Amino acid sequence: QVQLQESGGGSVQAGGSLRLSCAASSFTYSPYCVGWFRQSPGKKREGVASIDNTGHTNYVDSVKGRFTISQDNAKNTLYLQMNNLKPDDTAMYYCARDWTLSCSDFDLSSPPLGYWGQGTQVTVSS
């Protein structure tokens, strides 16, 4: 099975930056889809950003211009650079692989398909 492990979360003030990492056992076979989701208490899990094996990226509107998704295939690692953080960005952030057949689609099955990490907490204060 594919194993994913997130790191890099923490507490920052509004306007600050964080860089999240997701170490994977493997996501280098083609085709593939990897990305980041987030969830705060009382809310549904929300897609944040994705990237596929061709390098094509997709972002939810609320993070466009502030977040950047990237990957290092040699290290089997996925990244999320988060700049100009806002209190609404506070959530548990999860990395995932192959939750969908279309990488631009953030809709989740119930229960979710694909492979998921355990999450890393991001807290942004005013």
Side-chain angles (χ1 to χ4, degrees):
Q1 293 183 335
V2 174
Q3 295 181 330
L4 306 173
Q5 186 171 15
E6 303 93 337
S7 62
S11 298
V12 298
Q13 294 184 346
S17 299
L18 286 172
R19 184 176 179 85
L20 306 184
S21 299
C22 175
S25 58
S26 177
F27 50 71
T28 58
Y29 66 85
S30 183
Y32 66 79
C33 178
V34 291
W36 293 92
F37 290 74
R38 64 187 182 187
Q39 187 171 22
S40 56
K43 298 182 179 180
K44 295 181 178 179
R45 191 166 297 186
E46 172 191 38
V48 178
S50 66
I51 185 168
D52 67 18
N53 53 284
T54 72
H56 181 75
T57 59
N58 190 59
Y59 299 91
V60 67
D61 286 345
S62 61
V63 308
K64 289 180 179 178
R66 300 189 297 120
F67 291 10
T68 303
I69 188 171
S70 62
Q71 61 186 358
D72 185 336
N73 288 336
K75 298 180 179 180
N76 289 329
T77 302
L78 180 71
Y79 302 98
L80 184 67
Q81 178 66 47
M82 305 186 295
N83 297 326
N84 192 25
L85 284 162
K86 303 176 180 180
D88 285 348
D89 296 319
T90 295
M92 184 74 73
Y93 283 71
Y94 302 88
C95 63
R97 197 191 89 169
D98 294 335
W99 65 92
T100 179
L101 295 178
S102 176
C103 207
S104 62
D105 185 3
F106 288 137
D107 290 340
L108 298 178
S109 299
S110 183
L113 301 176
Y115 303 93
W116 295 80
Q118 295 301 305
T120 185
Q121 179 67 40
V122 172
T123 302
V124 185
S125 60
S126 300

